[in-house]
Amino acid sequence: MDAVRLILTSRRALAGGADTAEMMAEVWQAQALAQAIGSRLAVSGPPELRGEALGLTELAGRGCGVLDPPELDPGDLRAAQLTRLDDARETLLCLGGLLGEVGIALVGMASAAADETTYWQCMEAIDAADESRDRVLEMLRKLAAREEVLPEDAQDSPSGV
């Protein structure tokens, strides 16, 4: 399935989460999806994104690691359904939005946490989601810089005259 469709599915599921356990499962799913997208970009994305994509993979993996993994059937794991990443820019824009929503959801859960363990899990996951989003924004900046350079290169080349 295309990355953008999976991200949109995650955004809807996160918005529809009813209780803390369901929300934590959706946060974990979002982080796992960010990890899978980072991995895909690191392997086959634009060369200038590969370092940041590796960083995203590590940070999102940390975001999964601080949370208790949800009990999911293998077919329900959205990250495992990722088969295509058609447009890196659109994917990163959508992923940045999802990670922002993850952070907001985690703040709400931390504020309402009934125990210290849940509170600290949320705090660590907020940090991971925020740093992951920073990586996504940096990749978007690099894509924008590349798009600015490409038209100039076309004008400087003999075929661009």
Side-chain angles (χ1 to χ4, degrees):
M1 187 178 297
D2 179 56
V4 172
R5 283 186 57 199
L6 290 168
I7 292 167
L8 294 175
T9 299
S10 283
R11 289 178 87 169
R12 282 191 299 273
L14 186 64
D19 60 15
T20 300
E22 193 175 316
M23 293 292 286
M24 288 292 235
E26 291 306 329
V27 165
W28 190 93
Q29 284 260 43
Q31 289 284 22
L33 183 57
Q35 185 179 25
I37 290 169
S39 179
R40 179 71 56 105
L41 286 171
V43 171
S44 60
E48 60 270 34
L49 301 185
R50 292 186 180 160
E52 295 295 332
L54 278 173
L56 172 61
T57 301
E58 292 171 14
L59 290 165
R62 191 182 86 201
C64 288
V66 299
L67 300 172
D68 295 327
E71 293 184 23
L72 296 171
D73 291 328
D76 293 334
L77 180 59
R78 288 186 204 105
Q81 297 173 25
L82 178 64
T83 58
R84 291 190 339 264
L85 200 152
D86 293 336
D87 182 343
R89 184 178 180 281
E90 183 182 6
T91 298
L92 291 170
L93 283 169
C94 292
L95 183 59
L98 173 61
L99 290 169
E101 291 169 10
V102 162
I104 291 167
L106 285 164
V107 167
M109 286 187 288
S111 298
D115 60 89
E116 199 168 311
T117 301
T118 302
Y119 173 81
W120 284 111
Q121 280 182 327
C122 289
M123 296 308 288
E124 290 291 324
I126 289 167
D127 187 44
D130 187 48
E131 289 182 39
S132 294
R133 189 167 185 269
D134 288 346
R135 292 292 172 123
V136 168
L137 294 175
E138 181 61 21
M139 286 188 276
L140 284 167
R141 187 195 64 73
K142 286 182 177 188
L143 281 177
R146 181 181 94 167
E147 290 170 5
E148 288 177 11
V149 170
L150 289 177
E152 291 174 12
D153 288 344
Q155 291 173 354
D156 293 340
S157 70
S159 62
V161 175

